[in-house]
Amino acid sequence: NAGVTQTPKFQVLKTGQSMTLQCAQDMNHNSMYWYRQDPGMGLRLIYYSASEGTTDKGEVPNGYNVSRLNKREFSLRLESAAPSQTSVYFCASSEAETGAGNTIYFGEGSWLTVV
Amino acid sequence: AQKVTQAQTEISVVEKEDVTLDCVYETRDTTYYLFWYKQPPSGELVFLIRRNSFDEQNEISGRYSWNFQKSTSSFNFTITASQVVDSAVYFCALSEAWGSARQLTFGSGTQLTVLP
């Protein structure tokens, strides 16, 4: 049971570099999400995709872009990394974006350090 | 605006003790969902339970139990006979608007350490 798989697990970037975090889910879920986790702040939503073909901003979207490539895959791109983007990033998915099917399942996290 | 408060930043217990993790929430909605997640040292987030606002029955799953009380806006989590493997950060979360995931709000987490 792979569930939600994200890569890479660890990455060190220099300020100004770009990179893409990849995420795929095999649960046939409609909705996918990217969160970041910072110490003492819980998880905060960066972007989400309620269904294939749609994306929308979450609480902290600045400095990021996303692509819902197909139903399975949802990538997060940092165009010009900044030290403030040092964080743990979680991809997640749920059957539906609202209602009874919205239990959100998370990937294992990607530790990103920007120096 | 919705808010989740986990006042216990860190808890330390000795193995086999019972421990309760507190979660207090604020919401204006009458329909909402509450969640608990576990984050072990390996880092992944593991879903434990989802509860909707219309279901106030307590739930028990093995050594885990949850006490949902709307009157006090609390959704507390108890681990009975704790084990070292229970050591993790536990997050409580709230989702308003028929459980809209884009409005999922997490508490800041409680670090539980179970000592052998």
Side-chain angles (χ1 to χ4, degrees):
Chain A
N1 288 342
V4 179
T5 304
Q6 53 183 111
T7 57
K9 193 166 178 68
F10 300 97
Q11 183 74 48
V12 178
L13 285 178
K14 293 183 179 179
T15 297
Q17 284 186 320
S18 62
M19 78 157 297
T20 299
L21 297 174
Q22 307 286 354
C23 176
Q25 52 90 10
D26 63 1
M27 296 176 280
N28 200 34
H29 284 169
N30 290 301
S31 303
M32 298 185 73
Y33 317 88
W34 277 104
Y35 290 85
R36 59 178 289 172
Q37 181 181 27
D38 301 295
M41 301 188 73
L43 278 80
R44 295 181 292 169
L45 183 64
I46 305 171
Y47 270 93
Y48 69 98
S49 171
S51 61
E52 187 179 355
T54 69
T55 61
D56 216 333
K57 297 179 181 178
E59 182 185 353
V60 288
N62 291 344
Y64 305 95
N65 284 301
V66 290
S67 295
R68 183 73 182 267
L69 305 171
N70 47 55
K71 189 173 184 178
R72 288 186 65 247
E73 299 172 287
F74 188 41
S75 63
L76 177 72
R77 183 162 178 83
L78 286 69
E79 292 291 351
S80 179
S84 61
Q85 294 178 304
T86 293
S87 188
V88 183
Y89 291 85
F90 285 93
C91 179
S93 71
S94 64
E95 180 183 333
E97 200 269 327
T98 63
N102 84 325
T103 297
I104 301 169
Y105 297 92
F106 289 84
E108 294 188 340
S110 296
W111 275 252
L112 176 65
T113 301
V114 183
V115 298
Chain B
Q2 59 191 52
K3 183 179 179 182
V4 177
T5 302
Q6 295 180 254
Q8 305 151 307
T9 306
E10 297 181 20
I11 300 176
S12 184
V13 299
V14 177
E15 203 170 20
K16 297 185 183 177
E17 285 185 0
D18 298 347
V19 58
T20 296
L21 309 182
D22 298 332
C23 174
V24 175
Y25 61 92
E26 296 176 25
T27 177
R28 296 181 191 176
D29 276 15
T30 56
T31 303
Y32 52 89
Y33 286 82
L34 294 161
F35 303 79
W36 275 95
Y37 288 88
K38 174 183 179 180
Q39 187 174 39
S42 51
E44 72 270 26
L45 275 164
V46 179
F47 165 75
L48 295 178
I49 190 171
R50 182 186 74 196
R51 172 71 62 201
N52 74 55
S53 54
F54 297 111
D55 183 0
E56 288 194 70
Q57 281 190 334
N58 292 332
E59 181 154 342
I60 298 174
S61 176
R63 295 184 298 107
Y64 295 171
S65 62
W66 290 269
N67 182 5
F68 176 32
Q69 292 194 340
K70 286 179 81 170
S71 60
T72 57
S73 296
S74 65
F75 186 43
N76 296 336
F77 173 32
T78 297
I79 302 175
T80 303
S82 60
Q83 300 177 1
V84 173
V85 293
D86 295 327
S87 296
V89 180
Y90 291 86
F91 291 96
C92 180
L94 164 70
S95 176
E96 292 181 330
W98 286 100
S100 170
R102 68 181 178 275
Q103 297 184 16
L104 186 66
T105 299
F106 283 82
S108 55
T110 298
Q111 170 73 63
L112 173 65
T113 301
V114 181
L115 303 169

